[in-house]
Amino acid sequence: MVNWEKNLEIGVKSIDQQHQMLIKALEDIYDACSKGEGLTQIRETAKFLEWYVVKHFSEEEEIQRKINYPGYAAHAKLHKKYIEEVNRLTQDLKKQEVTTQDISSVVQYLNRMIREHINRHDRALAHYIRNNEMVVEEIEIEARELDPLTGLLSRKEFRSLLENELVKSCRKELVYVVMKIDGFDEVNRTYGYTIGEEVLIYVSGILVEYNNERTLIGRNHQDEFVMCIREADKDKIEHMLEDIAEKIYAGFKRRGSIIPLALKMGIVEIAEGSKCQKCIKQQGLIALSVAETFRGSNRVCFKEEMHEQILRKSEIINMLQPYSLEKYLYVVYQPIFDLKNNKVKGCEALLRMKDDYGNMISPGEFIPLAEKNNLIIDVGDYCMREVFRQVKQFLQAGINLEYISINLSIEQFKLEGLAKRIEKMAQVVSVDLKHIYFELTESIMIENFDHIKTVVSQLKDLGCRILLDDFGSGYSALSYLAHVDTNIIKIDKSLLEGIGTNKQVYIVLENIIKLIKAMNKNIVVEGVEKKEELDILRQLDAETIQGYYISKPLECDSVIELIKKLN
Ligand code: C2E
Ligand code: CA
Ligand code: CA
């Protein structure tokens, strides 16, 4: 804020304090929204606004009169407009139930008032009083077009201000950021559009904190926010974006519960990129889509080679369409080996993808894409159908394994009627589900424990069983071990790293194995690659292992041949 208090008398200070209250009112609304109390807060704020308009304007009029301020006529007109507006607003609020629309109109009103008064009018006024002459600034009173919901710059306004920046600034110091709320559709679906809009207002409130003369902040549509920052120091920008991300990561608090939020950002350093606004925006969206595809990368800076990545991504998505699955996907099996009687006990089914040129695409790449693009249900169904069909091939070859396990992803679990679906598919090929284990990762448990428990028990009713996958890979919460109805725990390969050389690693593994055994559950250790690892695991009395040391995942025919040899 301008430091003009000390230069002036006649009550301006109290106007300044009123401004602080105005800003506070706006902050309170954002804050209340974050606690799900936006609606109550708004009535209070409307009362305050009524008071403010009368008090501020009468005091200011007094100043105007005393110093004979030449811009007074224009300013009085603005006052009149405000008084009309706030009256209409309070009438509306009295008449009906307060809605999100009302919150957003108050937010917008406050925003405009703060902008016009503090930034333009009052600065001009202060300047005038100080120098006792008219300044150009005063004439500049212009209202920027704002987004009706959040009070940020509208799409159109942002575009024209960005254009100005591109013309006048040295591009080296301009950074463009496009942001989206991860899982916003899910918020709308689960909590409804009203809460969705409160989330948008809340997120805008956090973004507004970073508003200053070097930044532009706007909302394009839905949950897409844009920012342009004039700053040569890249560390500063990184710091600021980190800060924003962290605040949003704290989640939207609502009546005692928290809706988790995360902001994905695509960043364009304009010096590197193209000069045209359209290209900059496109680059932003490309970087954003990279950020959205990969878990764990919330901020991605645009690079030229991303064009290729996007192309590859869309090719993979094409290959994952329901009608192409048969052409590009197939299932391989990796033996699970019993150390006690030196026999293959079961197999894990793993999907493989091969493109038109015979290039392999790793499941680490195509599974997340299938999940993100609502294709995983069909992909999962395809995998199950293939396995059910091939289970019969195993049996016909005279191989009677204890189980074949299939990986399930969280999206499959969320789907209503998963168990029914599986039952039907098994019926079609008349396969007995007692041969099937489903592998669940711990991260699935974290998402919605009660729902998971229900689905798990439905699956057990069908005769299939559950295996807890990737144990120890980072999400480990030992409590799940006790609460999930599972009799096999698969220990992640990361726990084997350094087992031969690091005593601490050995102790961790030793005790995890003891713990699981004490709970009467079976163990599979995965990712066993070397003989020395196998020897240690024998020492530790781990019962079953899986890994390249025994065999890589193989196609059905080859794995049948291998099992025949080994058993
Ligand atoms: P996962 O379920 O943890 O699968 C184990 C991964 O470890 C497999 O990778 C397997 O090939 C690999 N692996 C096995 N033995 C060794 C070893 O000795 N050393 C090393 N370094 N790696 C070993 P893959 O096949 O690339 O699968 C990666 C992930 O993709 C799987 O992790 C699983 O989460 C997912 N996935 C694969 N198929 C499916 C599927 O049909 N459905 C779903 N939802 N996910 C799948
Ligand atoms: Ca697995
Ligand atoms: Ca695993």
Side-chain angles (χ1 to χ4, degrees), residues 107 183 312 509:
V107 165
R312 178 176 169 88
L509 191 62

Side-chain angles (χ1 to χ4, degrees), residues 334 348 351-352 363 383 407 409 469-470 493 527 529 547-548 553:
Q334 187 174 34
E348 175 175 5
L351 272 174
R352 289 293 174 264
C383 177
N407 291 284
S409 95
D469 196 6
D470 297 346
K493 54 181 169 288
E529 293 180 356
Y548 296 164

